[in-house]
Amino acid sequence: MPTIYSKKILLFIGLLIFTATNCHAGPINTKTIKIFFGYKFPPFYTATSKKEPSKSLHGIFIDMLQDFQKQHPEYKIEYKCLPKARITNALAKGKADAFALTAPMFMSTETKERYTTSLPMWTMSDHLLVRKDSKIVSADLDDMIGKTITVLHGNSYSELDKYFEKGLIKKHAVYSTKLMLNLLLKHRVDAAVCNKQTLPGLIKQTNFSMEDFIIIKKPLFTYRLHLLVNRANADFLHEFNNFIKSNPLPVFQKGG
């Protein structure tokens, strides 16, 4: 039977082991993941400050990333807003840890070599947008031959790109949705390509109204949104995919 003295020795040894273990525990090692964004893609994200756009992002995808980080403190997520052309160049060179948000159909060959996609998330659709008094009522591209369509510079447009390349349909590329809407209302183009889900939010940030336009009901194409992740961050992608599987996607009000 142990004596009082031996019990004290055992207790002292136990305290030493506990102290040594906790002294070496230290903070959780974190890995920084810098995600590139554009400036506006409502309702998923929108930068509200021109001076510090990367620090002012809000939207349902930002909320989703914040929830992910709470569950995975081993990752420190940073946001970086850049113009579309600079993002395209950075992705081609593999300089971003991730990019939000895109679909495989919009990825270049160089980007596909360096990045892979997360599990699919929201379903989107691109449509023709016309003036409310336009005679265009169909999304059939053969009916658009000889006409001019305005698009966002740097984006890909699936089957429509083939018509642009052959010169069957004229392309007028600009750098913002506001410019597209302005060209359309001034009769300088016949139609614009818009994302049905994000357009209402974008128009609210202009002096235009949805009542000035008509979205052709049949989509030009549909796709699912993904987070684009650098192949060097396979561990992060694995955890993000598990997060998607175990958490419901944030919902948004579909416009149009």
Side-chain angles (χ1 to χ4, degrees), residues 41 84 87-89 91-92 99-113 115 117 122-127 151-161 193-198 220-226 228:
F41 193 32
K84 176 65 177 178
I87 290 176
T88 299
N89 183 58
L91 294 177
F99 168 61
L101 296 154
T102 191
M105 65 185 293
F106 302 136
M107 294 166 57
S108 67
T109 301
E110 294 83 0
T111 299
K112 288 180 179 178
E113 290 175 354
Y115 293 83
T117 57
W122 301 276
T123 299
M124 311 298 286
S125 59
D126 278 11
H127 297 246
V151 298
L152 287 175
H153 180 79
N155 284 1
S156 300
Y157 292 96
S158 188
E159 191 68 21
L160 180 57
D161 284 334
V193 176
C194 70
N195 182 288
K196 184 178 181 180
Q197 288 74 27
T198 65
L220 292 171
F221 46 87
T222 61
Y223 51 93
R224 301 285 294 277
L225 288 178
H226 305 248
L228 197 62

Coordinates of all heavy atoms in Angstrom, one line a residue, residues 41 84 87-89 91-92 99-113 115 117 122-127 151-161 193-198 220-226 228:
F41 N -20.1 40.5 -57.7 CA -20.8 39.3 -58.2 C -21.9 39.0 -57.2 O -22.0 38.0 -56.6 CB -19.8 38.2 -58.3 CG -20.4 37.0 -59.1 CD1 -21.3 37.1 -60.1 CD2 -20.0 35.7 -58.8 CE1 -21.7 36.0 -60.8 CE2 -20.4 34.6 -59.4 CZ -21.3 34.8 -60.5
K84 N -10.6 41.8 -63.7 CA -10.7 40.5 -64.4 C -9.5 40.2 -65.2 O -9.0 39.0 -65.1 CB -11.9 40.6 -65.4 CG -12.1 39.3 -66.2 CD -12.4 38.1 -65.3 CE -12.7 36.9 -66.2 NZ -13.0 35.7 -65.4
I87 N -6.7 39.0 -62.9 CA -7.0 37.7 -62.3 C -6.7 36.6 -63.3 O -6.1 35.6 -63.0 CB -8.5 37.6 -61.9 CG1 -8.7 38.5 -60.6 CG2 -8.9 36.2 -61.6 CD1 -10.2 38.6 -60.2
T88 N -7.1 36.8 -64.6 CA -6.9 35.9 -65.7 C -5.4 35.6 -65.8 O -5.0 34.4 -65.9 CB -7.5 36.4 -67.0 OG1 -8.9 36.5 -66.8 CG2 -7.2 35.4 -68.1
N89 N -4.6 36.6 -65.8 CA -3.2 36.5 -65.9 C -2.6 35.8 -64.7 O -1.7 34.9 -64.9 CB -2.5 37.9 -66.0 CG -1.0 37.8 -66.2 OD1 -0.5 37.2 -67.2 ND2 -0.3 38.5 -65.4
L91 N -4.1 33.6 -62.7 CA -4.5 32.2 -62.8 C -3.6 31.4 -63.8 O -3.2 30.3 -63.5 CB -6.0 32.1 -63.1 CG -6.9 32.6 -62.0 CD1 -8.4 32.5 -62.5 CD2 -6.8 31.9 -60.7
A92 N -3.4 32.0 -64.9 CA -2.6 31.3 -65.9 C -1.2 31.0 -65.5 O -0.6 30.1 -65.9 CB -2.5 32.2 -67.2
F99 N -9.7 31.0 -56.5 CA -10.4 32.0 -57.2 C -11.9 31.8 -57.1 O -12.4 30.6 -57.3 CB -10.1 32.1 -58.7 CG -11.0 33.0 -59.5 CD1 -11.2 34.3 -59.2 CD2 -11.7 32.4 -60.5 CE1 -12.0 35.1 -59.9 CE2 -12.6 33.2 -61.3 CZ -12.8 34.6 -61.0
A100 N -12.7 32.8 -56.8 CA -14.1 32.7 -56.6 C -14.8 33.7 -57.5 O -14.5 34.8 -57.6 CB -14.5 33.0 -55.1
L101 N -15.8 33.2 -58.2 CA -16.3 31.8 -58.4 C -16.3 31.6 -59.9 O -16.4 32.6 -60.7 CB -17.7 31.7 -57.9 CG -17.9 31.8 -56.4 CD1 -19.3 32.3 -56.1 CD2 -17.6 30.5 -55.7
T102 N -16.3 30.4 -60.4 CA -16.3 30.1 -61.8 C -16.8 28.7 -62.2 O -17.2 28.0 -61.3 CB -14.8 30.3 -62.4 OG1 -14.8 30.3 -63.8 CG2 -13.9 29.2 -61.9
A103 N -16.7 28.4 -63.5 CA -17.2 27.1 -63.9 C -16.1 26.6 -64.9 O -15.4 27.3 -65.5 CB -18.5 27.2 -64.6
P104 N -15.9 25.2 -65.0 CA -14.9 24.7 -65.9 C -15.0 25.2 -67.3 O -13.9 25.3 -67.9 CB -15.2 23.2 -65.8 CG -15.8 23.0 -64.4 CD -16.6 24.2 -64.2
M105 N -16.2 25.5 -67.8 CA -16.3 25.9 -69.2 C -15.7 27.2 -69.4 O -15.4 27.6 -70.6 CB -17.8 26.0 -69.6 CG -18.6 27.0 -68.8 SD -20.4 26.9 -69.2 CE -20.4 27.4 -70.9
F106 N -15.4 28.0 -68.4 CA -14.8 29.3 -68.5 C -13.2 29.3 -68.3 O -12.6 30.3 -68.3 CB -15.4 30.3 -67.6 CG -16.9 30.5 -67.8 CD1 -17.7 30.5 -66.7 CD2 -17.4 30.6 -69.0 CE1 -19.1 30.7 -66.8 CE2 -18.8 30.7 -69.2 CZ -19.6 30.8 -68.1
M107 N -12.7 28.1 -68.0 CA -11.3 28.0 -67.7 C -10.4 27.8 -68.9 O -10.7 27.0 -69.8 CB -11.0 26.9 -66.7 CG -11.7 27.1 -65.3 SD -11.8 25.5 -64.3 CE -10.0 25.1 -64.3
S108 N -9.3 28.6 -69.0 CA -8.3 28.4 -70.1 C -7.5 27.1 -69.9 O -7.5 26.5 -68.8 CB -7.4 29.6 -70.2 OG -6.6 29.6 -69.0
T109 N -6.8 26.7 -70.9 CA -6.0 25.5 -70.8 C -4.9 25.7 -69.8 O -4.6 24.8 -69.0 CB -5.3 25.2 -72.2 OG1 -6.3 25.0 -73.2 CG2 -4.5 24.0 -72.1
E110 N -4.3 26.9 -69.7 CA -3.2 27.2 -68.7 C -3.8 27.1 -67.3 O -3.1 26.5 -66.4 CB -2.6 28.5 -69.0 CG -1.9 28.7 -70.3 CD -2.8 29.0 -71.5 OE1 -4.0 29.1 -71.3 OE2 -2.3 29.1 -72.6
T111 N -5.0 27.6 -67.1 CA -5.6 27.6 -65.8 C -5.9 26.1 -65.4 O -5.7 25.8 -64.2 CB -6.9 28.4 -65.8 OG1 -6.5 29.8 -66.1 CG2 -7.5 28.4 -64.4
K112 N -6.4 25.3 -66.3 CA -6.8 23.9 -66.0 C -5.5 23.1 -65.6 O -5.7 22.2 -64.8 CB -7.5 23.3 -67.1 CG -8.9 23.8 -67.4 CD -9.5 23.1 -68.6 CE -10.9 23.6 -68.8 NZ -11.5 23.0 -70.0
E113 N -4.4 23.5 -66.1 CA -3.2 22.8 -65.7 C -2.7 23.0 -64.3 O -2.1 22.2 -63.7 CB -2.0 23.2 -66.7 CG -2.2 22.7 -68.1 CD -1.1 23.3 -69.0 OE1 -0.3 24.1 -68.6 OE2 -1.1 22.9 -70.2
Y115 N -5.0 24.5 -61.8 CA -6.1 24.5 -60.8 C -7.1 23.4 -61.0 O -7.2 22.8 -62.1 CB -6.8 25.9 -60.9 CG -6.0 27.1 -60.5 CD1 -5.1 27.6 -61.4 CD2 -6.1 27.6 -59.2 CE1 -4.3 28.7 -61.0 CE2 -5.3 28.6 -58.8 CZ -4.4 29.2 -59.7 OH -3.6 30.3 -59.3
T117 N -11.3 22.3 -59.5 CA -12.5 22.9 -59.0 C -13.0 22.1 -57.7 O -12.8 20.9 -57.6 CB -13.6 22.9 -60.0 OG1 -13.9 21.6 -60.5 CG2 -13.2 23.8 -61.2
W122 N -23.8 26.6 -56.7 CA -25.1 27.1 -57.2 C -25.2 27.0 -58.7 O -24.1 27.0 -59.4 CB -25.2 28.6 -56.9 CG -25.1 28.9 -55.4 CD1 -26.2 28.8 -54.6 CD2 -24.0 29.2 -54.6 NE1 -25.8 29.1 -53.3 CE2 -24.5 29.4 -53.3 CE3 -22.6 29.4 -54.9 CZ2 -23.6 29.7 -52.2 CZ3 -21.8 29.7 -53.8 CH2 -22.3 29.8 -52.5
T123 N -26.4 26.8 -59.2 CA -26.6 26.7 -60.7 C -27.0 28.1 -61.2 O -27.8 28.8 -60.7 CB -27.8 25.7 -61.0 OG1 -27.5 24.4 -60.5 CG2 -28.1 25.7 -62.5
M124 N -26.3 28.4 -62.3 CA -26.4 29.8 -62.9 C -26.9 29.6 -64.4 O -26.7 28.6 -65.0 CB -25.1 30.5 -62.8 CG -24.5 30.6 -61.5 SD -25.5 31.3 -60.2 CE -25.3 33.0 -60.7
S125 N -27.3 30.7 -64.9 CA -27.7 30.7 -66.4 C -27.4 32.1 -67.0 O -27.7 33.1 -66.3 CB -29.2 30.4 -66.6 OG -30.0 31.2 -65.9
D126 N -26.8 32.1 -68.2 CA -26.6 33.3 -68.9 C -27.6 33.5 -70.0 O -28.0 32.5 -70.7 CB -25.2 33.3 -69.5 CG -24.1 33.8 -68.5 OD1 -24.5 33.9 -67.3 OD2 -23.0 34.0 -69.0
H127 N -28.2 34.7 -70.2 CA -29.3 34.9 -71.1 C -28.9 36.2 -72.0 O -28.0 36.9 -71.6 CB -30.6 35.2 -70.3 CG -31.0 34.1 -69.5 ND1 -32.2 33.5 -69.7 CD2 -30.5 33.5 -68.4 CE1 -32.4 32.5 -68.8 NE2 -31.4 32.6 -68.0
V151 N -20.6 42.1 -74.4 CA -20.2 41.1 -73.3 C -19.2 41.8 -72.4 O -18.6 42.8 -72.7 CB -19.6 39.9 -74.0 CG1 -20.7 39.2 -74.9 CG2 -18.4 40.2 -74.8
L152 N -18.9 41.1 -71.3 CA -17.8 41.5 -70.4 C -16.5 41.1 -70.9 O -16.3 39.9 -71.3 CB -18.1 41.0 -69.0 CG -19.2 41.6 -68.2 CD1 -19.4 40.9 -66.9 CD2 -19.0 43.1 -68.0
H153 N -15.6 42.0 -71.0 CA -14.2 41.7 -71.5 C -13.6 40.6 -70.6 O -13.6 40.6 -69.4 CB -13.3 42.9 -71.4 CG -12.0 42.7 -71.9 ND1 -11.6 42.7 -73.2 CD2 -10.8 42.5 -71.2 CE1 -10.3 42.5 -73.4 NE2 -9.8 42.4 -72.2
G154 N -12.9 39.6 -71.3 CA -12.2 38.6 -70.6 C -13.0 37.3 -70.3 O -12.4 36.3 -69.9
N155 N -14.3 37.4 -70.4 CA -15.2 36.2 -70.2 C -15.3 35.3 -71.4 O -15.2 35.8 -72.5 CB -16.5 36.6 -69.7 CG -16.5 37.1 -68.2 OD1 -15.5 37.2 -67.6 ND2 -17.7 37.5 -67.7
S156 N -15.6 34.1 -71.2 CA -15.9 33.1 -72.2 C -17.4 32.9 -72.3 O -18.1 33.0 -71.3 CB -15.2 31.8 -72.0 OG -13.8 32.0 -71.9
Y157 N -17.9 32.6 -73.5 CA -19.3 32.5 -73.7 C -19.8 31.3 -74.5 O -20.6 31.4 -75.4 CB -19.9 33.8 -74.4 CG -19.7 35.0 -73.5 CD1 -18.6 35.8 -73.5 CD2 -20.7 35.2 -72.5 CE1 -18.5 36.9 -72.6 CE2 -20.6 36.3 -71.6 CZ -19.5 37.1 -71.7 OH -19.4 38.2 -70.8
S158 N -19.1 30.2 -74.3 CA -19.5 28.9 -74.8 C -19.8 29.0 -76.3 O -18.9 29.4 -77.1 CB -20.8 28.4 -74.1 OG -21.1 27.1 -74.4
E159 N -20.9 28.5 -76.8 CA -21.2 28.4 -78.2 C -21.2 29.8 -78.9 O -20.9 29.9 -80.1 CB -22.6 27.8 -78.4 CG -22.9 27.4 -79.8 CD -22.1 26.2 -80.4 OE1 -21.5 25.5 -79.5 OE2 -22.0 26.1 -81.6
L160 N -21.5 30.8 -78.2 CA -21.5 32.2 -78.7 C -20.2 32.6 -79.2 O -20.0 33.3 -80.2 CB -22.1 33.2 -77.7 CG -22.2 34.6 -78.1 CD1 -23.0 34.8 -79.3 CD2 -22.7 35.5 -76.9
D161 N -19.1 32.1 -78.6 CA -17.7 32.5 -79.0 C -17.4 32.0 -80.4 O -16.7 32.7 -81.1 CB -16.7 31.9 -78.0 CG -16.6 32.6 -76.7 OD1 -17.0 33.8 -76.7 OD2 -16.3 32.0 -75.7
V193 N -25.1 40.0 -73.0 CA -25.2 38.7 -72.3 C -25.1 39.0 -70.8 O -24.2 39.7 -70.4 CB -24.0 37.8 -72.7 CG1 -24.0 36.5 -71.9 CG2 -24.1 37.5 -74.2
C194 N -26.1 38.5 -70.1 CA -26.2 38.8 -68.7 C -26.4 37.5 -67.9 O -26.9 36.5 -68.4 CB -27.3 39.8 -68.4 SG -29.0 39.1 -68.6
N195 N -26.0 37.5 -66.7 CA -26.3 36.4 -65.8 C -27.6 36.7 -65.1 O -27.8 37.7 -64.4 CB -25.2 36.3 -64.7 CG -25.4 35.1 -63.8 OD1 -26.3 35.2 -62.9 ND2 -24.6 34.1 -64.0
K196 N -28.6 35.9 -65.3 CA -30.0 36.1 -64.8 C -30.0 36.3 -63.3 O -30.8 37.1 -62.7 CB -30.9 35.0 -65.2 CG -32.4 35.3 -64.8 CD -33.3 34.1 -65.3 CE -34.7 34.4 -65.0 NZ -35.6 33.3 -65.5
Q197 N -29.2 35.5 -62.6 CA -29.2 35.5 -61.1 C -28.6 36.8 -60.5 O -29.0 37.2 -59.4 CB -28.6 34.2 -60.5 CG -29.4 33.0 -60.8 CD -29.4 32.5 -62.2 OE1 -28.4 32.7 -62.9 NE2 -30.4 31.8 -62.6
T198 N -27.5 37.3 -61.1 CA -26.8 38.4 -60.6 C -27.2 39.8 -61.1 O -27.0 40.8 -60.5 CB -25.3 38.2 -60.8 OG1 -25.0 38.3 -62.2 CG2 -24.8 36.9 -60.2
L220 N -28.9 31.0 -72.8 CA -27.8 30.7 -73.8 C -27.1 29.4 -73.3 O -26.8 28.6 -74.1 CB -26.8 31.8 -73.9 CG -27.4 33.1 -74.6 CD1 -26.3 34.2 -74.4 CD2 -27.7 32.9 -76.0
F221 N -26.9 29.3 -72.0 CA -26.3 28.2 -71.4 C -26.4 28.2 -69.9 O -26.6 29.3 -69.4 CB -24.8 28.0 -71.8 CG -24.0 29.3 -71.7 CD1 -23.4 29.6 -70.5 CD2 -23.8 30.1 -72.8 CE1 -22.6 30.8 -70.4 CE2 -23.0 31.3 -72.7 CZ -22.5 31.6 -71.5
T222 N -26.3 27.1 -69.3 CA -26.3 27.0 -67.8 C -25.0 26.4 -67.3 O -24.4 25.7 -68.0 CB -27.5 26.2 -67.3 OG1 -27.4 24.9 -67.8 CG2 -28.8 26.8 -67.8
Y223 N -24.7 26.6 -66.0 CA -23.5 26.0 -65.5 C -23.6 26.1 -64.0 O -24.5 26.8 -63.4 CB -22.3 26.8 -66.0 CG -22.4 28.3 -65.8 CD1 -21.9 29.0 -64.6 CD2 -23.0 29.1 -66.8 CE1 -22.0 30.3 -64.5 CE2 -23.1 30.5 -66.6 CZ -22.6 31.1 -65.5 OH -22.7 32.4 -65.3
R224 N -22.7 25.4 -63.3 CA -22.6 25.4 -61.8 C -21.4 26.1 -61.4 O -20.3 26.1 -62.0 CB -22.5 23.9 -61.3 CG -23.7 23.0 -61.7 CD -25.0 23.3 -60.9 NE -24.8 23.0 -59.5 CZ -25.0 21.8 -58.9 NH1 -25.2 20.8 -59.7 NH2 -24.9 21.7 -57.6
L225 N -21.5 26.9 -60.3 CA -20.4 27.6 -59.8 C -19.5 26.8 -58.9 O -20.0 26.0 -58.1 CB -20.9 28.9 -59.0 CG -21.5 30.0 -59.8 CD1 -22.0 31.1 -58.9 CD2 -20.5 30.6 -60.8
H226 N -18.2 27.0 -59.0 CA -17.2 26.3 -58.2 C -16.2 27.3 -57.6 O -16.0 28.3 -58.1 CB -16.4 25.3 -59.0 CG -17.3 24.3 -59.8 ND1 -17.3 22.9 -59.5 CD2 -18.1 24.5 -60.9 CE1 -18.1 22.3 -60.4 NE2 -18.6 23.2 -61.2
L228 N -12.4 27.7 -57.4 CA -11.2 27.2 -58.2 C -10.0 27.2 -57.2 O -9.7 28.2 -56.6 CB -10.9 28.2 -59.3 CG -10.0 27.7 -60.5 CD1 -10.6 26.5 -61.1 CD2 -9.8 28.8 -61.5

